[in-house]
Amino acid sequence: MTDAKHAIHTGPPGKSAWQRGRLLALGSLVAAVLLVAHDVVPNRWGNLGSLIQSFLPWLGLAVPLGILAALLRRSALAILAVLLPLAAWIWVFLPQVRPVDPGPGDLTVVQHNVSDTNSDVTGTAEVLLAAEPDVVTLTEVSDTVAEQYTEAFGETLPHHETQGTVGVWSRFPLEGATAVDIRPEGIDASWDRCVRVVIQREESAVALFVAHLPSVRLGRGGFETELRDASALALADAVSAEENETVIVAGDLNAVLADSAVAPLTNLVTAPATGFQFTFPEAFPVAQIDHVLARGATVTEVRTLPRTPSDHLPIVARIDTPWQ
């Protein structure tokens, strides 16, 4: 009996803390690789690359979740492996989280997808006007609602142009309003979501494109971005052909700037490299898909504004333009 008990207590030893948690360590390694090499993940499998890039900052959750799982598993190997995604996240996003002086800006632009179900025009306008904008660009506005916003903005933003479901209201005169066709192939002419105007201030002019690209969905085919990508390419062609040296692109692009699928557009413009200004969905924002971008000018700061009845958060951008 003594020998049997001895055998029970001194049987083959279990795995050590350095042997347990190999799958957890592998998960941390995968998260780290995706963080630093996201731009080489192909889109041939359900647009996997775009999906990862759209939620890239959230891969940082691999760190606290990995630590918790490693402690529960009592795995020294898994705890050590968590350092990989931690270092990768810092490497990729340190420029965005590092405090910097936003610098000057002489033009303030507010962009908001106001939502076609938002009936509180007055309350929404108050939120936007509180940012003291020079220009407001809106998406998802019908003709009737656009008239209500014109009344709500009043003499603060007396100049305005609308096209389809997008519009711009400005402190400065607007000229040359033109519809820009960014329809994906197979979409009829009733889909009207882009306008180009020229903002005039004394002897200077800035071309402004206000656009609303198609939505993306998670479906049977994966991350369905084909319509958005085609529309982004059409918008890129229009921006590339713009003769004005200074160009602003504002709107709901339904894409994050890290998404390489919309690189034909984002490679033409610049945006601030600091902060995470998530705009959608407003109840718990996980991605910034609303943007103010520029060519021939510098967007010095972008930040979100308080909630409105829309499913997006508004953003306000400060832009340093050559006309000051």
Side-chain angles (χ1 to χ4, degrees), residues 30-219:
V30 169
V33 170
L34 290 176
L35 277 163
V36 298
H38 59 87
D39 54 344
V40 299
V41 178
N43 263 340
R44 67 173 64 100
W45 303 301
N47 295 314
L48 181 62
S50 287
L51 179 61
I52 292 171
Q53 290 161 347
S54 295
F55 303 100
L56 194 64
W58 297 97
L59 284 177
L61 291 175
V63 176
L65 293 177
I67 292 175
L68 177 61
L71 292 175
L72 292 174
R73 190 73 175 87
R74 297 180 182 178
S75 169
L77 175 64
I79 289 179
L80 184 63
V82 165
L83 295 176
L84 294 174
L86 176 61
W89 197 96
I90 293 173
W91 173 269
V92 173
F93 292 111
L94 182 60
Q96 285 185 241
V97 298
R98 179 185 298 156
V100 296
D101 183 354
D106 61 291
L107 184 69
T108 301
V109 177
V110 165
Q111 153 59 29
H112 191 25
N113 179 329
V114 295
S115 177
D116 54 13
T117 62
N118 176 4
S119 60
D120 186 6
V121 170
T122 301
T124 300
E126 288 177 354
V127 171
L128 306 185
L129 290 174
E132 300 182 349
D134 298 306
V135 177
V136 170
T137 62
L138 302 181
T139 62
E140 291 198 15
V141 286
S142 65
D143 290 340
T144 301
V145 173
E147 292 177 2
Q148 295 176 27
Y149 277 105
T150 297
E151 182 178 351
F153 292 143
E155 292 303 313
T156 304
L157 303 171
H159 308 282
H160 57 91
E161 296 287 351
T162 59
Q163 180 67 46
T165 58
V166 299
V168 52
W169 287 258
S170 172
R171 191 182 304 275
F172 307 112
L174 301 174
E175 296 183 358
T178 308
V180 181
D181 188 358
I182 60 170
R183 289 175 297 159
E185 185 177 354
I187 303 299
D188 64 52
S190 64
W191 195 91
D192 192 3
R193 292 188 176 186
C194 188
V195 66
R196 171 198 176 272
V197 298
V198 175
I199 306 170
Q200 294 285 350
R201 192 169 94 171
E202 297 178 354
E203 300 299 321
S204 301
V206 172
L208 169 65
F209 291 83
V210 184
H212 184 189
L213 302 191
S215 300
V216 299
R217 296 285 187 272
L218 278 172

